[in-house]
């Protein structure tokens, strides 16, 4: 058995969960946030037999798309009379960041 962790954008999370569920794949969704942008995203936790991992990754790929986000840098300390114009920095996010790990044991109690 494998455990798939997928960090997805919030906009894509509901339809990805729906696609997985309607294909009979169990999924748990956590609200999370990225360390770099400090913006909300979602992490999906999906436990599946190894032969289903490819299907899971395909469903995630089909439902998550790349987007541009903007990060406004923190202003530095400026001396009186100096002027700082914080230009937003464009960052490409997604479709999804996917980790697949081995499961040592799986029980439903
Ligand atoms: P964030 O950490 O908020 O990162 C958002 C996007 O910012 C990233 O998109 C990437 O394009 C950019 N980015 C991240 N760190 C950067 C850096 N040090 N310098 C320049 N740009 C940087 P994605 O790569 O698509 O990642 C989306 C989200 O997936 C991340 O949100 C984070 O929550 C998660 N993630 C990505 N890689 C991860 C990893 N190795 N381990 C754990 N979570 C990860």
């Amino acid at each position: 058995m494998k455990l798939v962790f997928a960090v997805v954008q919030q906009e894509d999370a509901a339809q990805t969960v729906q696609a997985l569920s309607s294909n009979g794949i169990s999924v748990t969704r956590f609200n999370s946030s990225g360390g770099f942008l400090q913006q909300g995203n979602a992490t999906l936790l999906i436990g599946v037999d190894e032969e289903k991992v490819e299907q899971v990754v395909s469903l995630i790929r089909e439902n998550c798309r790349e987007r541009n986000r903007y990060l406004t840098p923190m202003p530095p300390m400026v001396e009186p009379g100096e002027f700082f114009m914080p230009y937003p920095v464009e960052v490409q996010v997604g479709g999804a960041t996917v980790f697949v790990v081995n499961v040592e044991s799986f029980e439903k109690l």
Side-chain angles (χ1 to χ4, degrees), residues 50-105:
E50 193 162 354
E51 60 269 19
K52 286 208 165 177
V53 169
E54 219 171 290
Q55 184 190 8
V56 167
V57 173
S58 298
L59 288 166
I60 293 168
R61 187 177 284 116
E62 283 164 23
N63 286 281
C64 296
R65 65 181 182 84
E66 197 175 85
R67 291 186 183 81
N68 293 338
R69 305 261 181 222
Y70 295 89
L71 172 69
T72 306
M74 291 288 287
M77 296 288 284
V78 288
E79 298 295 325
E82 283 183 344
F83 178 71
F84 174 74
M85 174 67 81
Y87 289 105
V89 178
E90 189 175 3
V91 177
Q92 279 191 341
V93 184
T97 302
V98 179
F99 303 88
V100 181
V101 298
N102 290 322
V103 173
E104 206 165 289
S105 80

Side-chain angles (χ1 to χ4, degrees), residues 7 33-38 41 91-94 97 99:
V7 184
S33 54
F36 187 67
L37 292 179
Q38 312 258 312
N41 54 27
V91 177
Q92 279 191 341
V93 184
T97 302
F99 303 88

